[in-house]
Every structure is written in C-alpha cells, then in structure tokens.
Amino acid sequence: MAPMSDSSAATTLLPPGSLPLDELIACPQCDALFHARMPGRGQRTSCARCHTVLIAPRTNAYLRVIALALTIVILMVAAMFFPFLAVNVQGFTNKASILDTALAFLDGGFMATLAVLVAAFIVLIPLLRAALVIYVLAPLAAGRRPLPGARHMFRLSEDLRPWSMAEIFVIGCAVALVKVSDLARVEFGVAFWMFAALVVVIVFQDGIMCRWTIWKALDDTRNR
Amino acid sequence: MQVDDLESTGRHAEPVTARGAGLVACTRCTRVWPMGETRCARCGSELHSRDWRSLQRVWAWMIVGIVCYIPANIFPMLKTQVLFTHTESTIIEGAIELAQHGSYGIAFVILFASVAIPVGKFVAIGFLAWSVRRPERLHPHHRHRLYEVVEFIGRWSMIDVFVVAILAALVQLNFAASITPGPAAITFALSVIFTMLAAQSFDPRMIWDHDGRGPDNHLTSETP
Ligand SMILES: [Zn+2]
Ligand SMILES: [Zn+2]
C-alpha cells in the first residue's frame, strides 16, 4: 500500500475500514501516521518527517536479546561479589565494592535518599530491565503466548530506560580515578572489568531490540 | 545500514498525522486508536492526542530543577580530609582544582556535565515549551533536533554525583585521607532528576503541530 502522506493529507481522512488500526503506526515523536510494513532484511524504517527510527527488526532478535539480558544479569550479580576498586595511601588500603559505592551516601543522614537513588541507577534498574526483558521475550522466542502482564512489564522496562545509568557510572569511575591520582594509588578489581563489559552489553542489547516488533507480538487487541 | 523511509511520494509535503486522521496515537507503543479512547489497550498507557497540560508539568519540574541547582553550586560537593588538613569544594572549585593539577580534559568533562549541560538544558527546555505557541521562531526540524539532544544528553549530568559516590566509598583511610559527600551532591542529583522529568513531560508532537498549518484548533474540529 502506498504511504499515506501527500500534500492534501491534512484534510483527507483514512477511509473507514480501509486498513485495520493495528496495521498503522504513528510516530511517537511527531504523530505522523504510516502503514506499518516490515522492512527488508537488514533495513530499518524511519519516520519520513522527523527521521525517528520506527521499525528495525533483526534476525533471531528474541534469542539474541534474551542471551544478552542473561549476560547482564550474570555480570551484574557477579560484579557485586568481586572487588571493584582498591585504593592505597601510604600503606593504608581500602577496597570498595559496587554496593559500597552505591551506599556511600548512607551514613550521611538525609543523604540516604541519594544512596537509594544511586543504587537504583547503577544496579537495580539495569538488573530489573534485564529481568523484565527475559520475562517478556522468553515465551515469544519459544513461540508461546506471552506471560500474564507481559505488556505492562515491557512498558515498565521501556519507561525505566533513561534511568538505567550504568554507562555514566563507568565514565564516573574514570573521572574519580584521575581525581584521586595525586592522593592515592588506585587498582582496578575484577568487578570493574565485569561492569565495563556489562555496559557494552546493555548498549548493544538496547540497539538490537526492535520495539515495534515486540509490541506487535504482544498485541492481543487486533480484532478491536 | 540502509534506511528506508516510510514515505516515498510527496517527500516534502506534510504527512497525515494520527490526529489529522481522527485517531489518537499511543506514544509509548505507537499503536493508534479511534479518537476518544482514553487508554491504550495494547500497553495500558493513557492516551492524549496532544497533552497541553503537559506544558504545565514541564514548567513545574523545570522550576523545581532550577531551585535545586542553585544550592548545588553554593554548597560543597566534596569534603576532603588529608592528614590534618580539611578542604571543602563546590562543583566549580572541584573542576578548578583538577585543572590546576593539569587534568584539563577531566576538568572540562566535569564543567561540561555539571554546568554546561544543566544550564543548557534549562534554556533548551524553556525554549521548546515557550516556542510551542510561537512556532515561527525556529523550524520544527531544528526544534526536534534540540529536543533529541536534550533527551539524550540530560542524564549524563549525573556523572559528578557518581564521582562523589565512588570517591566517598573508596577514600576512607582513617586519618590518612578521607572523602565525604557534601550537601550539594543530593541537591545536584535532585536537580538532574527533575530536569529529566521536565524533558520527559514535554510532548514532542507539539513541535510539529503548527508546521505551516495555522493554529492548533483547526485540526481538532475535524470529524470522520
Ligand atoms: Zn516522526
Ligand atoms: Zn500503547
């Protein structure tokens, strides 16, 4: 079907019943309306008006996204049990784990709020998002019906996306190391490298996930 | 990667919008529904064809963000104690210290993330919200680009909070050296959170509404 945009488009309405509503896609950024078509292999579809990428499917995407989400969970849990950074000043040493870092604000009274926020941004939210993605996609990958609440879980996962800040934290580590370099000697622990790898996996996973394909698969409202 | 635009004809013409077609689009999952539906049956989000009240939320979050940003620059971010000397530094003093030690790159990162991004974000969000009613000020493409940059870059301001968390967790060496977070850490973190909420409250579809099509109410009067 021809894309539905020409110069008279602003006043022409779609003929009722010409296309089922679930075959349309509205750009979330500019409200332009299109007939949603699966693009060819390796191609993406973007909004003609504002160029937001709308559809970008990948082959075997479910399995790959699930594998990456599992990797995130494993790396995150493992990273909490290994030393993250160690500092050495004139014979005194101190080691800090990721949780120590997140909870650094705890002893400051009203700073406790900040401890909770930091822990959420760098550990809990990335972990929760990975778990939600597995919950949503595992049945789809197996060709089964989505688990109960899958649509709400996926929406939650998407809403939490800007609040997952693991990559910012890693850059923060680099800055912190420079800041203490004239005060102390700093050593990276195993957990630091796990966390750095985790960030790469998170960015890659977000990059290969096609939201439209997943929403389409979760949609049980097609007959409305 | 090849990008396949959904539109092939009338490239420079105004595309049909979901609202123009008498539909209301879900900005979370891109599904469209008949105008008048209040909740997306696919993902459960509230539906608004255009949420004009969202502008009030944008201004409200932004004002709270600015209010939190002021003490964040006045109070100390870091309290450092090395042997018997005790120093406190604000965000800007911290960056100046780094520059004095020759770490110009890192000083620049901190100034950029903690001063340029927050201030730029206040200005950009304010401009976007203000220009919704004065669309002739800047082409929608440029305003949309500005919105994308604000959305992408805003969360990176959190970097200085993480630096403080890492330093406070790591540098705890009794009297040899210790670092504790100052009150600015929490007000700065809150300021970043509130400005992120301000940017998320903004409905980018409003950027495009006036694009050569006159006042907003001309469109809503259309009925199928
Ligand atoms: Zn668009
Ligand atoms: Zn929806």
Side-chain angles (χ1 to χ4, degrees), chain A residues 31 44 49 94 151 164, chain B residues 4 14 41 50 141 155 170:
Chain A
D31 208 33
R44 318 186 279 177
R49 192 197 215 180
N94 184 40
R151 290 172 295 152
S164 164
Chain B
D4 165 33
E14 195 60 18
R50 294 299 177 275
H141 274 292
R155 30 204 295 288
L170 200 56

Side-chain angles (χ1 to χ4, degrees), chain A residues 125-203:
Chain A
I125 292 178
L127 209 51
L128 176 62
R129 284 195 71 220
L132 290 172
V133 161
I134 295 169
Y135 181 89
V136 170
L137 292 188
L140 299 182
R144 303 209 181 141
R145 287 181 59 78
L147 291 169
R151 290 172 295 152
H152 289 94
M153 301 294 176
F154 189 55
R155 204 189 88 191
L156 177 63
S157 159
E158 287 296 284
D159 285 351
L160 288 176
R161 205 169 160 192
W163 304 100
S164 164
M165 300 189 177
E167 75 276 29
I168 302 173
F169 179 69
V170 166
I171 305 295
C173 289
V175 173
L177 294 191
V178 175
K179 270 195 135 162
V180 287
S181 59
D182 60 339
L183 183 72
R185 202 162 47 88
V186 178
E187 286 155 30
F188 294 100
V190 184
F192 179 83
W193 301 110
M194 287 176 167
F195 205 83
L198 175 93
V199 165
V200 176
V201 177
I202 290 177
V203 171

Side-chain angles (χ1 to χ4, degrees), chain B residues 57-102:
Chain B
R57 282 200 299 278
V58 173
W59 288 116
W61 284 127
M62 201 173 98
I63 289 165
V64 190
I66 292 173
V67 166
C68 289
Y69 188 65
I70 297 166
N73 278 284
I74 296 172
F75 291 107
M77 190 84 170
L78 271 186
K79 297 175 180 170
T80 316
Q81 176 251 311
V82 181
L83 295 175
F84 300 107
T85 53
H86 190 94
T87 48
E88 295 191 341
S89 59
T90 61
I91 294 172
I92 294 178
E93 284 165 1
I96 293 171
E97 261 170 49
L98 279 168
Q100 282 168 346
H101 287 99

Side-chain angles (χ1 to χ4, degrees), chain B residues 121-179:
Chain B
K121 227 179 134 172
F122 294 136
V123 175
I125 298 172
F127 172 76
L128 286 171
W130 175 81
S131 63
V132 159
R133 294 177 200 274
R134 296 161 193 82
E136 67 285 351
R137 293 289 166 158
L138 192 65
H139 192 273
H141 274 292
H142 299 302
R143 280 186 284 144
H144 186 251
R145 170 64 46 186
L146 183 64
Y147 174 74
E148 283 179 329
V149 171
V150 165
E151 274 271 80
F152 173 77
I153 218 166
R155 30 204 295 288
W156 285 89
S157 295
M158 206 58 100
I159 196 164
D160 216 18
V161 175
F162 293 150
V163 171
V164 173
I166 295 159
L167 292 178
L170 200 56
V171 187
Q172 293 298 338
L173 302 146
N174 299 323
F175 69 91
S178 78
I179 292 180

